Amino acid sequence: MNKFYPLKIKEIIRETSQAVSLSFEIPENLKEEFDFSAGQYVTIKMEADGEEIRRAYSICSAPGSDEFKVTVKEVEGGRFSVIANNKLVAGDILEVHPPEGKFVLNPGEGRKNYAAFAAGSGITPILSIIKTVLRDEPHSKFVLTYGNKSIDDTIFFRELLELQSEFPHRLFIEFVYSRTKEENAHFGRIETSTVNYVLKNKFKDHPFDKFYLCGPEAMINHVSEVLKRNGVKDEEILFELFTNSEEEKEIEGDTEGQTEVTVLVDEEEFTFSMDRKSVVLDEALEHDIDVPYSCQGGICSSCMARITEGKAEMSKNQILTEDEIEEGFVLTCQAHPTTPTLKLDFDDL
């Protein structure tokens, strides 16, 4: 379950001055393992300066397209993103975990209207979703509102225009630029007026079935609030965070003392003792247990496990639903034990 596979980089595509796409070769014997749904991500693992780095990146290609690509935007001080944009070359080998994630499109039959609000590198999973809708739902339409500083900073700019030209009656794009004024584009940021323009003005005759949001947390939160004020239900809004600024909440249970933790991962059982003020994932890694993880910030679902005995509380959670929490799931990177014993199953997902 927590297995990484060595994949060769087939091609590196320069998307913008600060973003590259890594196209991987998927060997025939791994095709099934790396089958994915539109919107999912992979975790990439590598060694740098003697230290292991893990980073999660959304797949930007469409399922079944014979392409397997992720896009990496260079972040100042970012360890893997700097390496990917400046040092990796075609032929290099990276350790890659099979696709996962819940920010997905499940294509179906019928006629649907989708809308997405993306900013910056938040376009990566959205592009996969758009391509899948256009290919697999021939009667559906898609409206994308996409914010960037300028055209030069816009990842997939040409590719999106080509898709729009190919599907002029099904794909509609509202570009938003905060630094430059461009013809047929909005100036500024994605804000209340932008959302209302899509919902109440230009596309008022398109009742939307689902909304996909991806980008900075502040944008996601604001767009969500505006959508809900316009009567959109929670279950119709899906979002993917790349960063999390949410403050840690105070743990209400007993955080004093030690807990004996037992974890089941890849059908092997491990037991260790830990201080309840620590989080389960950190302690499991400290005990050299190969449990799955990626972001370590509570914004992906890689480290999710089910509690089978005892209790634990999360200091952050913007991923798991109330139903999943009710079923016993926790993000182990945020989970503090609150009982003398705690049993977690990483295999029962």
Side-chain angles (χ1 to χ4, degrees), residues 14-34:
R14 174 59 62 182
E15 303 289 358
T16 71
S17 62
Q18 291 185 304
V20 294
S21 288
L22 309 179
S23 176
F24 290 98
E25 290 183 13
I26 308 296
E28 196 61 39
N29 65 315
L30 292 179
K31 294 282 188 184
E32 185 174 346
E33 195 73 35
F34 280 85

Side-chain angles (χ1 to χ4, degrees), residues 105-176:
L105 168 83
N106 296 307
E109 298 179 355
R111 187 188 305 269
K112 293 182 180 178
N113 292 318
Y114 298 95
F117 291 86
S121 58
I123 189 61
T124 49
I126 301 295
L127 181 63
S128 178
I129 291 169
I130 290 172
K131 288 180 173 181
T132 304
V133 168
L134 295 176
R135 183 193 64 196
D136 296 346
E137 295 188 5
H139 302 293
S140 295
K141 296 180 180 180
F142 206 107
V143 175
L144 168 65
T145 304
Y146 182 21
N148 288 279
K149 294 177 183 177
S150 67
I151 289 178
D152 290 341
D153 295 298
T154 304
I155 302 172
F156 310 132
F157 179 70
R158 290 186 181 85
E159 189 170 0
L160 286 167
L161 289 182
E162 288 171 3
L163 282 172
Q164 190 177 40
S165 177
E166 185 179 355
F167 300 95
H169 304 295
R170 297 181 55 212
L171 175 61
F172 308 91
I173 305 176
E174 298 295 317
F175 289 107
V176 183

